Amino acid sequence: MAKFRTDCIEKPIRMCFRIIGHFIGTHPWWFFIVPVIISTALGSGFYFLEDRTSNDIEEEFTPLEGPAKMERKFIQEYFPQNESMFSSLRLNTDGIYACFIATSKTNILTVPHLEDILVLDSKVRNMTVEFEDELLQYVDICATVNGSCSSNAILNIIDYNASNVDLINLTFPTHTSTSGRVSLRSTLGSVKINNSIVQSAKAIQFFYYLTEFNQSRSVIWLTGFIKLLSEESTNVTEVSYSTSMSRQWEFEKVPKSIVPLFSITYTITMSFTIVSCLRLDNVRNKVWVATIGVFSTGLAVLSSFGMLLLMGATFVMTVSTCPFLILGIGIDDMFIMISCWQKTNVHDSVVDRLADTYQDAAISISITTITDVLALYLGYSSPFRSVQTFCLYAGTAILFCYIYNIIFLGAFLALNGQRETSNRHWFTCVKIPVDCPPGKSRRYAICCVGGAYDHDTGTEEEQPISGFFGKYYGPFLTQKWTKASVVILYAGYLAVSFYGCFELKEGIDLGNLASDDSYISKYYKDKSTHFSHYGPNVMVAVDKSLAYWEEDQRKTLSSCITDFKKLAYVDKNFFLSWLDSFQVFANDLDINSENTFKRNLLHFLEKRPMTWQDIHFDADNKIRSSRFFLQTLNISTTKQQKDMLISLRKTAKKCPIALVVYHPSFIYLDQYTVIVDNTIQTIVVATVLMLAISLLLIPNPLCSLWVAFSIGSVIVGVVGFMALWDVSLDSISMINLIICIGFSVNFSAHVSYAFVSSTKADSNEKAVDALAHLGFPIVQGAVSTLLGVVALSFSESYIFRTFFKLIFLVITFGLVHGVAFLPVFLTFVGMCRNG
């Protein structure tokens, strides 16, 4: 019954393709010219490429509906930025700033180092840039507190005199001086203390915050800052630097770096394809077919990208890797079609040969295309814009690649077949004899004779490498001791893979979005080395009108704050609360009624104008919301960042009073909360869908299950080994895991279908027959895909190198499953046969 159901689908598809092949073979010129015209028309969409390009880091690499974005909206609504009373603690975004980190291998708090820093600070503050015929200095656009630029705490403490550092008992993490108490957590790094007295520090960090009122002027100044620091050198101090815009600017430079790599890749892939299709026979040579096959993938990319751009689709940086991938996939199908063509009878008409080719290749190339496209389109459900856009472009490009291989490449296969039927030379198109005429030299036979074929089968002569799989590799693989070795090897593969899965890290390091040689790479390294102990100051906002004058309400709120302080990632010694300060202020005053509470609160706020920013009064003079601040710590790893975020939100949710926790970095940390679940969900749904497709198109349910098994096995291997190769699970690797599903089907589907379609009786013979027919095309496809992405391994961008690493793992493991593991496992199941 199962065989009847699958045959009801498989046979009509094969017949349908036979009809298509017959029709294309009858009218090859139409199907060769029309796709070129269509591609030219659709390619006009590239006119809109610049307008459609979006490289916003937040939009691409953070969840579209991340909770932090709603939390930010709430904070911005009730606690807007006060331009006249700047406070970095109270920023609801990253702000606009320039910064540098000065480091020393021993102690940065020495007179020579501080003299270097004072000189550099002076140059930054006095730097002049030109904006619309106006000369600007830091003082003109700085963020202000009571009319003065916000200053750097450490320079205030030493009163801008390096010699004073030896006269001051500097305390950490806070220091109290005549100007008040200041936090040094984000100012001093790698600090050694004794009873809170600073003994040494290896790094000092300086921030220069700018007003957000006129961002155009600020951007010009930031550009000048980068230029100044890149040209500046200090006597004894190492300096790294960055700005609030640097990450975005450096990220936007990355796509340009791979343009030269694509031309290299195209040349390498073209050369490999031509060499693979090169024949010594001057008539049967497939050089032009190989050339058109590569050209066909180019047309597919041009048409698909152009069409999507015409439809208004956004183009993001991750899509830049698509052409590398599509090049390999398109050539893979071309190898299958050439292999099927060579097995047709040379005495048949070109039309019949093309019809037979399509009939034989239909299921193999259709399964791979359907699975690739569906896996990618399923990836469009990802919460990350970078994944969505890549999947849309890649899925559409593969679909066009499939269509063009059928109509465009197929049409040229027919035209090339007409040349072969006339026994014309592959290069000169001059008719040549099949056999060398008497009296002609060996040199003449090499260059001017062709058209040989296997007289026993009527097909083209088998290539030596193709015979290797049927005559040598297949029989070797089906030996009992070889099978046992393969099983042991597979067990080792699984063991290492599962070990790697437990070592997998989550999330993308935003510093990796820039090229390796970017100036911000050193800055992020210094920041991670010296300033990773303390995390962000997290806002805890009350999301309701609370009766603060009621003692029970204050106790409930205090109990919730205590729960926060108990968390492993919260500093128990730091909590900034306007309410606590007010209660100390009003210790001898009555604050247990609404009127007295508000009246005394106004007196309190008049003496502390900065605190006004932490309380929001509505139109009825009610406290609609207020906020407090926590200090996080010990969150240097992505796992700690994830646990910190989750624990803060759980604690806020547990509180009887509605609370919101927020920091601008949460926008990016949200990726950790969804990446694993979403990846697993996508992979599981895609695998089930791939199994359903395999059940429909492969005429044996049991072998279809082996295809599903291969998918799971390859995915486990890729995840495990990518962790061991220092690749984290992020939106970039998620793209490749989605591709992994399609590719793992490609290899296993080809072999499984050839296995069950074999007319051999013995399972070992069926495995050998499957390898003899498709072993070489599978290897060709794998190598061509690897060559398509190998140039990315030389990229200076983490994103493109990660893409190469994952594709390398996917193709390598998929190939090993296709030509080693799966053929052996199929021989263990005697039921897995067609008939």
Side-chain angles (χ1 to χ4, degrees), residues 323-371:
F324 296 90
L325 180 66
I326 304 305
L327 191 57
I329 293 176
I331 293 173
D332 187 10
D333 286 345
M334 180 199 73
F335 288 138
I336 298 293
M337 292 179 68
I338 290 177
S339 177
C340 292
W341 171 271
Q342 291 176 157
K343 291 178 176 60
T344 60
N345 195 308
V346 298
H347 298 297
D348 290 343
S349 67
V350 171
V351 172
D352 288 337
R353 291 187 70 183
L354 193 65
D356 291 340
T357 298
Y358 276 40
Q359 183 174 339
D360 291 341
I363 299 299
S364 287
I365 65 174
S366 295
I367 288 179
T368 58
T369 299
I370 292 171
T371 52

Side-chain angles (χ1 to χ4, degrees), residues 654-713:
K654 186 174 66 174
C655 180
I657 299 171
L659 299 177
V660 173
V661 291
Y662 174 73
H663 184 270
S665 65
F666 287 5
I667 299 293
Y668 301 97
L669 298 186
D670 266 343
Q671 62 175 310
Y672 305 140
T673 65
V674 300
I675 187 70
V676 174
D677 292 343
N678 188 261
T679 301
I680 293 174
Q681 176 186 326
T682 303
I683 289 175
V684 169
V685 172
T687 302
V688 171
L689 192 57
M690 301 307 109
L691 174 60
I693 293 170
S694 299
L695 285 169
L696 288 175
L697 298 181
I698 297 179
N700 188 286
L702 191 56
C703 283
S704 298
L705 291 174
W706 278 109
V707 172
F709 161 79
S710 294
I711 297 173
S713 180

Side-chain angles (χ1 to χ4, degrees), residues 262-389:
F262 186 72
S263 59
I264 295 171
T265 296
Y266 207 85
T267 302
I268 293 174
T269 307
M270 174 75 83
S271 301
F272 168 77
T273 306
I274 290 175
V275 171
S276 296
C277 296
L278 195 63
R279 306 289 184 266
L280 296 179
D281 190 297
N282 290 305
V283 173
R284 308 297 178 193
N285 204 331
K286 300 295 189 294
V287 169
W288 295 121
V289 177
T291 304
I292 294 300
V294 175
F295 184 63
S296 177
T297 62
L299 290 182
V301 172
L302 180 67
S303 298
S304 57
F305 283 29
M307 183 187 74
L308 290 171
L309 290 169
L310 285 171
M311 295 171 64
T314 303
F315 187 93
V316 301
M317 193 192 69
T318 51
V319 177
S320 303
T321 59
C322 272
F324 296 90
L325 180 66
I326 304 305
L327 191 57
I329 293 176
I331 293 173
D332 187 10
D333 286 345
M334 180 199 73
F335 288 138
I336 298 293
M337 292 179 68
I338 290 177
S339 177
C340 292
W341 171 271
Q342 291 176 157
K343 291 178 176 60
T344 60
N345 195 308
V346 298
H347 298 297
D348 290 343
S349 67
V350 171
V351 172
D352 288 337
R353 291 187 70 183
L354 193 65
D356 291 340
T357 298
Y358 276 40
Q359 183 174 339
D360 291 341
I363 299 299
S364 287
I365 65 174
S366 295
I367 288 179
T368 58
T369 299
I370 292 171
T371 52
D372 283 341
V373 171
L374 286 181
L376 287 165
Y377 282 163
L378 277 173
Y380 193 77
S381 63
S382 167
F384 297 96
R385 179 77 69 190
S386 57
V387 179
Q388 286 184 354
T389 309

Side-chain angles (χ1 to χ4, degrees), residues 2-11 13-14 363-364 366-368 371 690-708 711 744-757 822 826 832-834:
K3 179 182 182 303
F4 174 76
R5 288 196 300 269
T6 52
D7 281 359
C8 283
I9 297 172
E10 179 207 7
K11 287 184 176 178
I13 291 176
R14 287 164 60 89
I363 299 299
S364 287
S366 295
I367 288 179
T368 58
T371 52
M690 301 307 109
L691 174 60
I693 293 170
S694 299
L695 285 169
L696 288 175
L697 298 181
I698 297 179
N700 188 286
L702 191 56
C703 283
S704 298
L705 291 174
W706 278 109
V707 172
I711 297 173
S744 55
V745 173
N746 289 1
F747 296 112
S748 57
H750 287 321
V751 174
S752 297
Y753 183 74
F755 184 91
V756 300
S757 300
L822 190 57
L826 287 174
C832 198
R833 62 182 61 184
N834 186 20

